[in-house]
Structure formats: structure tokens, C-alpha cells
Amino acid sequence: MALINENFYKLRSSYLFPEVRRRVAHFTDQRPGLNITNLGMGDVVLPLASTVTAAMKAAVEELESPDTFKGYGPVQGYDFLRNAILEQDYASRGVQLSPDEIFISEGSKSDCGNLQELFSVDARVAIADPVYPVYVDSNVMAGRTGVLRADRRYERLVYLPCREETGFVPEPPSETVDFVYLCSPNNPTGAVMNRQQLTDWVRWAQRTHAILLFDAAYEAFIGDADLPHSIYEIDGARVCAIEMRSFSKSAGFTGVRCGFTVIPKDVMGYGSDGKGTSLHSLWSRRYATKYNGTSYIVQRGAAAVYTPAGRKETSVQVAFYMDNARIMRQKLLQMGFQVWGGENAPYVWMATKGSKSSWDFFDRMLAEALVIGTPGIGFGPSGEGYYRLSAFSMREGLEDALIRIERAFG
Ligand code: MLT
């Protein structure tokens, strides 16, 4: 008899996006043939930049010849990509890292889900609320929480409610925790933490010896020159922060898969004997055991993003999505909705005016406006009363959707 990991029993029966798909399938089964606009899951719609596909095609050709064929690559990633990241994402912002502090991966979702393995099962975890569900579920699976209570909060998990009054930005907890997930620009609220807010978090982490797991998957969408793109722009973050980044949304890699995690060698964790160990060395050990490196073809594609042509093409894509966000914001505000985000992030967060719950609003949007969004409650209890729209859409579909929303709710 194979005993299972019973922590899985504690999870909600389905991950958020499959539940959205289930409801949409149920609706379309009953009313087939309708033209529905999907502004739900944040999945890109524009094709890859031609510089990226050309680099991947050239890499495929290299693999055809015995002289240039590649077998297993360096598990943490090829230097050509790590050096490009180092120079263009970090050194250009005054952040000094060494290439071996960068771990190329197959995407940020896996990194977000896996990084918790570095910590004790007894470690206390804090999360912003609402939040990207992967942070919560991966810790539930690992046994770091108790059961899900009737108020939709897991026992032992520390929730940091993000409210309108504080611009949906979480504040450091008063109780002791071992690590905390921060996401800026934020999924789902679109809020972006400013320099002072990030500094407060870094000072708190230094004081309490907690680790910040900083998810910067959406940094490319920051347009405001005063906002930091990396936690390492804050003095002192090298000793207390791990940063995750992704090519998914900034370069259209949701299907191709590539991201990276930065772990400076100064970030320390502690054994039960109080002895410090560098988390970088633990993650290197884990990588060597559980990963064989991101595909050479994909890494060549990612490196092409950093060429002048790749930069230009991908920034046009980012600008297109941010124009979508601006159009959505403006229209929804004109219709009288309360709206946040969408200025330095590809998500618009809105209040579900006149609806009993965010799932109720989701159902109404689907039935009355033929629009798929994401109910705020799916991101945590403090998401109740809100709804997320993604800017990853073709323009025509988006404009039609806004017309239908106006007819139904305006
Ligand atoms: C979302 O819609 O929240 C994103 O697609 C999440 C992800 O990138 O996994």
C-alpha cells in the first residue's frame, strides 16, 4: 500500500485556473457558438519576436552538426545568457552580481513552487493576501500549514491583507516569520512597491533574519522611472532576498518556458543548531540533483531578447499590452468602476460593484458581457469583492469586450 502525502487533502479541490475553465466550459456547453473574450489567465497572445525565433532556429541547426552539437549543458545555465542578464538587467541598474548567482530555469512558476524546499517544514511563511496561488499551495503540499479554515485561511500561514487604504501593498508582519513572498509589480492587484516600501521590507528582513522571496516576473511592465525593478536596487537586499524573473510575459515565453532565479551567496539560512548556511549552496545542490538545465535552444532564444533587435521587438510587445491596460483602465473608470493597477503592471484590479461575491461577478461578466476574468477570491480571502482583468489580449477582442461590459454594467 502506497501511503500518500496527506497534505494534498488540505488543498482546495482545484487550482484557480482549472476552476475558471470548468465554469466557462459549463457555460459554453449550454450556449455554444458565442464569441467570448478571454481576459482571465495572464497568457500572452502576440507571437515570439523574430529575433528570438531566428536564434532558436540557428540553435536547432547547431544541434544537427557533430561539431556544434550540445549534450547536457551547465546545469545553472549557459554563460552567454547569464552574462547578458547580469549586464543588462542588473549592472545597468547599479546592481553587482556574479554569473553563478543566477540560476536559469524553465520558468518562474516552478521556481516559486520549488524554492520553499530550502526551508524547514516548521518554518513560518507569510504571504500577501490576495496572492499568486502557487506560493500558498506549494507550502500546503510541503506540510507547512494546518487545515483550511472556514474563513478560507490556512492555519499557521501568516496572511498580510492588502487593502485599498495601503494601495494593496503588504506591510511587514508584527509576528516572527521565516520567509515571505512579495510580488511587485503585483499579480493580481497590479500594485507596484516603491523604493521606500521595498526599503522597509529589506530593513525588516535584516532585523528579523527572515528571507524575502521576491517575484519580479512583471518588472518589464514598469514604465515609471522612479520605481525599482529589482529588490537588489535596495541596499542590504543581498543578504536577505532571493529574486525570481521570467521571460514568459516580457518576451512571450509562456509556452517556450524560461526564467531565472537570483540567489546571492550572502543570503543565509540557519540549522536547528543555529549554524548559518548559504542558501545559494543549498539551491546549487538541489539543482544538481533535480534539474538538468534549461534547453540550449530555449536559452539561445532568451539570450536573443538581450540583443538590440530583440530588445526593440520585445519592448514593442510590452508597450502593446500596456496600451491594452491603459484602454481598459480608462474605459472601466468612465463606466464608474473602481479600478487599480494597469499602470505599471499588465493586470487591472476592479471592485465587483453590485455583486454578491467575486464568483457571482465572474458569472455575470461571462453571461452578460461574454468576458472571462478572474474572481478576486481565487487569490485569497482579501480578494473577495474584486475581479482581475488581464491585458494580454488582442486589441479588437479587448475593445469588443469593453463595449459589451459597458452595455451590461455601464
Ligand atoms: C496568471 O494569470 O496569474 C498567470 O498566468 C500566472 C502564471 O504565470 O502562472
Side-chain angles (χ1 to χ4, degrees):
M1 187 176 73
L3 289 178
I4 59 154
N5 174 358
E6 294 190 20
N7 291 310
F8 279 71
Y9 289 149
K10 298 176 195 161
L11 293 167
R12 264 186 275 276
S13 58
S14 146
Y15 185 63
L16 171 61
F17 295 106
E19 173 60 15
V20 167
R21 278 199 288 278
R22 194 191 64 74
R23 288 189 184 225
V24 173
H26 179 71
F27 176 78
T28 50
D29 280 351
Q30 290 175 337
R31 296 171 65 184
L34 293 173
N35 192 8
I36 295 174
T37 305
N38 192 348
L39 304 174
M41 193 170 179
D43 192 5
V44 292
V45 295
L46 296 175
L48 290 171
S50 59
T51 309
V52 168
T53 53
M56 290 203 285
K57 284 179 199 162
V60 170
E61 276 163 28
E62 279 185 68
L63 300 185
E64 275 178 1
S65 156
D67 299 333
T68 47
F69 173 73
K70 307 268 181 302
Y72 291 126
V75 71
Q76 266 189 240
Y78 283 95
D79 280 345
F80 62 77
L81 178 55
R82 294 198 292 174
N83 285 328
I85 291 169
L86 202 100
E87 281 155 28
Q88 297 195 38
D89 285 338
Y90 291 102
S92 63
R93 296 189 171 275
V95 174
Q96 300 310 321
L97 295 169
S98 70
D100 64 347
E101 291 177 319
I102 297 172
F103 296 77
I104 308 296
S105 69
E106 57 98 37
S108 205
K109 182 174 188 174
S110 325
D111 288 350
C112 289
N114 292 331
L115 276 165
Q116 48 77 27
E117 287 184 27
L118 290 173
F119 303 99
S120 157
V121 71
D122 297 323
R124 302 245 23 214
V125 190
I127 49 134
D129 171 27
V131 78
Y132 182 40
V134 175
Y135 312 151
V136 176
D137 288 3
S138 55
N139 280 287
V140 175
M141 289 174 190
R144 235 169 253 114
T145 71
V147 295
L148 185 63
R149 298 188 308 232
D151 64 359
R152 301 181 72 99
R153 289 178 171 81
Y154 281 99
E155 285 172 357
R156 291 199 74 237
L157 202 55
V158 176
Y159 288 79
L160 309 173
C162 299
R163 303 208 164 84
E164 276 170 53
E165 308 85 82
T166 49
F168 295 102
V169 167
E171 286 170 2
S174 46
E175 60 204 286
T176 309
V177 301
D178 296 277
F179 63 103
V180 52
Y181 293 86
L182 296 176
C183 177
S184 178
N186 190 264
N187 177 14
T189 65
V192 188
M193 293 165 85
N194 63 30
R195 201 165 288 277
Q196 185 56 54
Q197 288 160 334
L198 286 180
T199 303
D200 291 347
W201 271 105
V202 168
R203 296 291 162 267
W204 168 84
Q206 287 177 305
R207 209 169 49 247
T208 63
H209 298 289
I211 304 294
L212 307 178
L213 299 182
F214 188 73
D215 183 351
Y218 297 95
E219 61 77 35
F221 296 86
I222 296 176
D224 183 337
D226 292 333
L227 292 169
H229 288 236
S230 165
I231 189 81
Y232 304 117
E233 290 178 59
I234 309 301
D235 201 31
R238 261 195 74 85
V239 300
C240 60
I242 292 176
E243 179 164 295
M244 293 156 272
R245 291 218 187 169
S246 169
F247 295 93
S248 285
K249 316 293 160 84
S250 56
F253 274 49
T254 52
V256 176
R257 310 303 306 149
C258 193
F260 62 92
T261 284
V262 179
I263 310 190
K265 291 181 189 144
D266 310 348
V267 184
M268 304 294 276
Y270 295 87
S272 49
D273 56 1
K275 200 168 139 234
T277 301
S278 119
L279 294 185
H280 180 278
S281 68
L282 300 187
W283 193 243
S284 301
R285 184 68 180 81
R286 184 203 177 276
Y287 237 57
T289 304
K290 294 197 178 180
Y291 198 50
N292 257 339
T294 306
S295 131
Y296 174 70
I297 303 163
V298 166
Q299 291 192 60
R300 277 288 177 204
V305 171
Y306 294 95
T307 62
R311 277 268 175 233
K312 199 163 155 202
E313 286 173 272
T314 52
S315 61
V316 169
Q317 298 183 345
V318 166
F320 174 84
Y321 294 130
M322 287 313 292
D323 276 343
N324 279 352
R326 187 181 43 76
I327 293 167
M328 262 196 290
R329 259 186 76 87
Q330 275 175 359
K331 262 287 182 202
L332 292 167
L333 284 168
Q334 277 166 18
M335 290 178 214
F337 283 105
Q338 273 184 292
V339 172
W340 301 267
E343 287 176 311
N344 290 285
Y347 295 117
V348 168
W349 187 242
M350 58 193 279
T352 58
K353 84 172 175 187
S355 286
K356 281 201 303 288
S357 69
S358 57
W359 274 117
D360 179 53
F361 190 74
F362 170 91
D363 289 335
R364 284 184 61 200
M365 274 285 214
L366 183 57
E368 296 170 33
L370 304 179
V371 167
I372 303 169
T374 311
I377 187 78
F379 297 103
S382 299
E384 185 53 291
Y386 300 93
Y387 181 79
R388 189 194 77 173
L389 288 173
S390 144
F392 297 109
S393 163
M394 287 304 189
R395 186 65 46 77
E396 201 185 333
L398 175 75
E399 283 170 349
D400 289 349
L402 289 167
I403 292 169
R404 294 195 302 271
I405 295 174
E406 185 158 30
R407 270 196 220 121
F409 295 87

